[in-house]
Amino acid sequence: MYIFWDNSNIHYAGLDQVLPMKEPNVDARLYRTYFKGILDLVSDGRKVDGISFAGSIPPENDLLWRAVRKLGIKPNLHKRAPGMGEADATDHLLQLDLLRLFADKAPDCFALLTGDGAGYKEGKGFLADAERLVNSGWKFELYSWETVCHGYLRKFAEDNGKFIRLEDYYQNITFIKGGRQAVPLKQP
């Protein structure tokens, strides 16, 4: 299986949309994504042949990418352009890796961690690339916060693979710095 992880989409959707619903009295500055919990959820004991994880370069004192590297993930990082967000560049890095998978590997299973379905009408974006892979025999799993998942992307996953609601695993994939710890997933 191959994993494509849009960190900004997963982290900021959890922070901005899910945290206020699940833990409304928690200071948002203390919210953290628990990378090991997400990796355990997605891999579910299966062999992972590759992980494409994209994000922007954080401040030098940020421990974020060190935690990711400890899991054996080599993040694909880029510099944030002044005054611009990371979403477009991050998306393009992951989409390029999706297309390389399509071109270079025999069909297997791929998991996409995002809720972003933008660009589909132009034949671009995660949904268009997922469609290409599924049409060539790949199995598809989508892991997303339901509250922010693009409707067409979700429907495509439900009709052509699996849609996994991250809200159902909130306690396993997030923690509060100095407060609530993540609850380990129960493995089969």
Side-chain angles (χ1 to χ4, degrees), residues 110-122:
F110 74 101
L112 187 55
L113 284 76
T114 191
D116 187 350
Y120 179 69
K121 291 180 181 177
E122 295 85 33

Side-chain angles (χ1 to χ4, degrees), residues 63-81:
L63 301 175
L64 174 70
W65 302 131
R66 216 175 312 167
V68 171
R69 286 186 183 101
K70 278 185 179 180
L71 295 173
I73 300 170
K74 182 180 176 194
N76 192 345
L77 303 176
H78 64 90
K79 290 184 180 179
R80 229 181 258 233

Side-chain angles (χ1 to χ4, degrees), residues 10-29:
I10 297 300
H11 177 76
Y12 289 109
L15 173 65
D16 297 337
Q17 302 297 318
V18 183
L19 172 68
M21 292 186 305
K22 297 277 192 177
E23 298 180 282
N25 297 322
V26 169
D27 182 345
R29 294 173 296 183

Side-chain angles (χ1 to χ4, degrees), residues 44-98:
D44 193 26
R46 298 175 285 184
K47 180 179 182 270
V48 176
D49 296 304
I51 300 173
S52 180
F53 183 110
S56 59
I57 297 172
E60 287 189 30
N61 64 351
D62 196 334
L63 301 175
L64 174 70
W65 302 131
R66 216 175 312 167
V68 171
R69 286 186 183 101
K70 278 185 179 180
L71 295 173
I73 300 170
K74 182 180 176 194
N76 192 345
L77 303 176
H78 64 90
K79 290 184 180 179
R80 229 181 258 233
M84 296 181 68
E86 67 177 280
D88 287 340
T90 299
D91 291 356
H92 289 128
L93 291 170
L94 291 171
Q95 290 160 12
L96 176 61
D97 285 347
L98 273 166

